[in-house]
Amino acid sequence: MSEQSLPDDARPEYADALPEYAERVLEVTELIPPGRVMTYGDIAEYLEEGGPRQVGRVMSLYGGGVPWWRVVRADGVLLAGQELEALDRYREEGTPLKEASRAAEDHLPRLDLKRARWDGGERAQGHT
């Protein structure tokens, strides 16, 4: 993905400055309560700006310092390359999961989005 596909304020002006759009995405990510998740599209909708790809790009570039595992794909499939670490965190936080079917290639569970999805309505404890 190129910088051109990010909103104007998300294009880096200074190498060490965090773009405003990225700051907003990361702030929403920090609000997601333990045991709950938002999809990339949910965050874009919550911010009323960008889309799933832009949120995904922010998370790939800047998401290491926030609870990145709480921002997920819309199909509930665990993030490739990070699935085992994310799965440990989901289990630790009590995030609802669906066990994998025997036909599933990797035998990893998926997120149960019906139960785990957070709409941004109730705030996490410690945040107001």
Side-chain angles (χ1 to χ4, degrees):
M1 174 179 285
S2 72
E3 291 174 9
Q4 293 175 337
S5 61
L6 291 173
D8 287 339
D9 69 348
R11 293 189 190 124
E13 294 178 18
Y14 306 101
D16 59 347
L18 189 63
E20 186 179 328
Y21 183 73
E23 286 182 21
R24 291 195 303 272
V25 168
L26 299 177
E27 286 171 1
V28 173
T29 302
E30 289 179 324
L31 294 175
I32 304 169
R36 305 297 296 273
V37 298
M38 289 181 91
T39 67
Y40 297 105
D42 290 341
I43 290 180
E45 188 175 314
Y46 184 91
L47 292 172
E48 298 179 345
E49 184 177 2
R53 289 178 188 246
Q54 288 81 12
V55 172
R57 179 70 172 159
V58 168
M59 293 304 296
S60 72
L61 292 174
Y62 308 109
V66 297
W68 54 266
W69 59 93
R70 296 180 191 153
V71 181
V72 301
R73 293 171 37 150
D75 61 6
V77 172
L78 305 185
L79 184 62
Q82 303 295 323
E83 53 273 269
L84 297 179
E85 182 178 352
L87 187 56
D88 286 344
R89 292 179 185 264
Y90 296 139
R91 288 181 171 148
E92 182 180 302
E93 293 183 355
T95 307
L97 300 168
K98 291 181 179 179
E99 289 306 315
S101 69
R102 287 195 248 194
E105 185 177 312
D106 54 14
H107 302 287
L108 289 172
R110 297 172 90 147
L111 290 157
D112 184 344
L113 289 178
K114 286 185 180 182
R115 296 183 336 170
R117 203 171 208 164
W118 186 62
D119 66 5
E122 79 260 16
R123 296 287 185 213
Q125 289 183 359
H127 289 90
T128 56

